[in-house]
């Protein structure tokens, strides 16, 4: 399997240019706080970024690879459904951070545990 192709849900997908296809870590709606308190989907909160797993990348993407976790703004996204599963499509420049084992010990790593 090449770097920019995936067989997620048994459907080959090739992303173009600087596009990144991700699968959100958490579903929209209710969520739990660190203390276990249930926060309803209707609760208003400040701008909150979300984590997702990279499924496929285009040939011009340089900083992320399939399998990486990325931080993105849920308001800046396009949803696409492939065989009943919902994915998010975005440009590489719309990603705020990347978390991956391969980055451990690199000079541009912050050393924070995300």
């Amino acid at each position: 399997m090449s770097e920019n192709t995936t067989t997620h849900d048994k459907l080959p997908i090739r992303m173009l240019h600087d596009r990144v296809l991700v699968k959100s870590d958490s579903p929209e709606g209710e969520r739990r706080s660190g203390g276990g308190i249930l926060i309803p989907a209707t609760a208003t909160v400040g701008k909150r970024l979300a984590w997702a797993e990279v499924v496929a990348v285009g040939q011009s993407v340089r900083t992320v690879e399939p399998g990486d976790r990325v931080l993105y703004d849920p308001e800046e996204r396009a949803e696409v459904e492939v065989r009943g599963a919902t994915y998010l499509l975005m440009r590489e420049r719309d990603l705020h951070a990347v978390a991956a084992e391969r980055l451990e010990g690199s000079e541009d790593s912050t050393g924070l545990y995300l």
Side-chain angles (χ1 to χ4, degrees):
M1 184 182 339
S2 72
E3 178 180 312
N4 60 356
T5 306
T6 182
T7 55
H8 218 268
D9 295 328
K10 297 182 174 66
L11 180 67
I13 298 171
R14 172 162 284 161
M15 302 307 296
L16 301 176
H17 310 297
D18 66 340
R19 300 303 195 271
V20 179
L21 187 71
V22 300
K23 180 81 171 151
S24 180
D25 284 355
S26 59
E28 294 294 320
E30 295 181 343
R31 58 186 173 85
R32 289 203 179 271
S33 70
I37 298 171
L38 183 65
I39 302 170
T42 56
T44 57
V45 294
K47 190 169 183 176
R48 183 177 188 87
L49 300 177
W51 287 100
E53 180 184 351
V54 176
V55 176
V57 299
Q59 69 268 18
S60 299
V61 174
R62 296 177 292 178
T63 56
V64 297
E65 298 175 1
D68 288 353
R69 292 188 67 223
V70 292
L71 189 63
Y72 70 98
D73 183 352
E75 294 176 6
E76 299 173 6
R77 65 185 179 156
E79 289 186 5
V80 62
E81 188 172 318
V82 178
R83 296 200 178 182
T86 303
Y87 298 93
L88 306 174
L89 179 63
M90 58 191 65
R91 292 179 180 265
E92 180 181 24
R93 69 178 180 220
D94 294 332
L95 302 175
H96 295 279
V98 59
E101 293 290 329
R102 64 185 167 77
L103 300 176
E104 190 172 329
S106 67
E107 70 259 1
D108 61 344
S109 176
T110 65
L112 297 176
Y113 294 98
L114 301 176

